[in-house]
Amino acid sequence: MSALAELGGLGKKAPARGKGGPEGSRGRRLTTAKDNRAAFIFLAPWIVGLVCITVGPMLMSLYLAFTDYNLIQDPNFIGADNFTRMLGDQRFWNSLGVTLTYVVIGVPLQLGLALLVALALDKGLKGLAFYRSVFYLPSLLGSSVAVAILWKQMFGTSGLVNQLLAFFGIHGPGWISDPSTALGSIILLHVWTFGSPMIIFLAGLRQIPTMYYEAAAVDGAGRFTRFAKITLPLLSPIIFFNLVLQIIGAFQSFTQAFIVSGGTGGPSDSTMFFTLYLYQRGFGQFDMGYASAMAWVLLIIVGAFTAINFYASRFWVFYDD
């Protein structure tokens, strides 16, 4: 029997060392530890930058929002006084209204123009790469100081726009100096920088299968029907993506208003953006505590708009899955 038992044991495999045994588990733990160590080493510069450049200043500004701080003396804790002062600050509410007008009008116009241009370029236009670069160029320059100065010169009393109108016998107003048109000129500058969302729209249009359009054409669907029933639903995730990014960017607009108005937010505070008023309170009046409180109010507003967009997206954004 012992001989048969020994023969029977010949067919069994010995436990593999390094796989299921204790030594194998220890080897896997050592490998995982080495991988984690390497990952932390590569992530260390990003983590240091996140803590020192983003998280640290944010926490400091949150503390300063509850203080009276003039950049010279030590911060003096005053509780929520900065936030309560905003309720009676007419310029604060005016700047918020100007910014909301800029976002509500400028963002839809910009996205609409970007989508129209993307639809035109998606028709197999010759020299597509050239036109795509030309239309994208304003997005690279739109937030620069040079373009803002150029825009101010174009829409000045004797600027290029009024010179063109005078050629047709039309006397143009001072677009920048008139409170009724100053904000509109800045909104027009924002709409002009439609290149970035246009490129994203164009990439999304290229991902829509042509068989959908062919099947709809066979069924007798017209261009508008194909656009409404095929293009818009399948492009809705891209529209949502652009909408969220552009709203966040529009709330943070500063350079255009600062240059066009000369840093005053005029005329009659018609171009007093929220960020511009924040800058004036913090670095003009050295009321850094109040400015920090305004920054956190802006963060809350942007977060609220983003949350509303994400909630509303479930009713109009279509995903393939």
Side-chain angles (χ1 to χ4, degrees):
M1 295 294 293
S2 60
L4 292 175
E6 291 178 1
L7 289 175
L10 293 176
K12 299 179 179 179
K13 295 182 179 179
R17 302 183 65 180
K19 291 186 178 180
E23 295 184 3
S25 300
R26 182 171 178 271
R28 283 197 299 271
R29 286 196 299 269
L30 291 175
T31 303
T32 303
K34 291 180 180 179
D35 293 340
N36 292 339
R37 191 181 303 112
F40 280 121
I41 291 175
F42 284 108
L43 288 173
W46 179 86
I47 295 174
V48 172
L50 176 66
V51 173
C52 297
I53 300 177
T54 303
V55 177
M58 285 185 64
L59 295 178
M60 187 62 186
S61 69
L62 179 60
Y63 166 70
L64 293 177
F66 296 94
T67 64
D68 180 15
Y69 181 47
N70 59 7
L71 295 176
I72 299 176
Q73 299 174 342
D74 293 335
N76 179 30
F77 186 80
I78 58 175
D81 286 357
N82 288 325
F83 295 95
T84 56
R85 286 165 56 196
M86 293 180 192
L87 300 177
D89 188 351
Q90 186 59 38
R91 298 194 76 189
F92 167 84
W93 292 109
N94 177 75
S95 66
L96 184 59
V98 170
T99 304
L100 288 175
T101 303
Y102 176 78
V103 172
V104 172
I105 297 178
V107 171
L109 289 178
Q110 184 195 55
L111 294 182
L113 180 60
L115 181 57
L116 288 177
V117 175
L119 289 170
L121 295 180
D122 191 49
K123 301 301 181 181
L125 185 67
K126 291 185 178 180
L128 176 60
F130 170 76
Y131 288 107
R132 186 169 52 195
S133 301
V134 169
F135 286 127
Y136 182 68
L137 186 61
S139 292
L140 298 178
L141 304 177
S143 60
S144 65
V145 175
V147 171
I149 295 176
L150 177 63
W151 204 261
K152 183 178 181 179
Q153 297 295 327
M154 288 178 57
F155 285 88
T157 305
S158 58
L160 178 62
V161 174
N162 282 344
Q163 291 179 12
L164 291 175
L165 293 176
F167 180 78
F168 295 98
I170 302 174
H171 178 70
W175 303 94
I176 302 299
S177 58
D178 190 343
S180 62
T181 57
L183 180 60
S185 63
I186 300 179
I187 292 176
L188 188 60
L189 173 57
H190 178 73
V191 175
W192 179 65
T193 60
F194 65 89
S196 178
M198 182 269 295
I199 292 294
I200 300 176
F201 279 140
L202 186 58
L205 290 171
R206 293 301 177 91
Q207 299 300 318
I208 300 178
T210 57
M211 62 179 181
Y212 294 153
Y213 297 105
E214 296 171 354
V218 171
D219 291 338
R223 290 185 177 180
F224 179 78
T225 302
R226 294 197 298 268
F227 175 75
K229 301 297 183 180
I230 298 175
T231 305
L232 282 182
L234 294 180
L235 200 64
S236 57
I238 306 298
I239 298 175
F240 173 67
F241 175 78
N242 275 331
L243 179 64
V244 172
L245 288 187
Q246 294 305 317
I247 286 179
I248 295 174
F251 270 109
Q252 297 175 341
S253 296
F254 171 78
T255 304
Q256 300 93 326
F258 182 83
I259 298 299
V260 171
S261 68
T264 63
S268 301
D269 283 350
S270 58
T271 59
M272 180 62 75
F273 282 18
F274 193 93
T275 53
L276 180 56
Y277 185 49
L278 187 155
Y279 172 82
Q280 289 184 355
R281 293 302 297 257
F283 297 97
Q285 303 177 22
F286 300 104
D287 194 354
M288 190 58 66
Y290 192 87
S292 299
M294 287 185 61
W296 277 93
V297 169
L298 179 61
L299 176 63
I300 293 173
I301 293 174
V302 173
F305 268 81
T306 305
I308 292 172
N309 281 327
F310 271 92
Y311 175 78
S313 66
R314 67 181 67 182
F315 301 107
W316 63 275
V317 177
F318 172 79
Y319 294 100
D320 290 338
D321 56 352

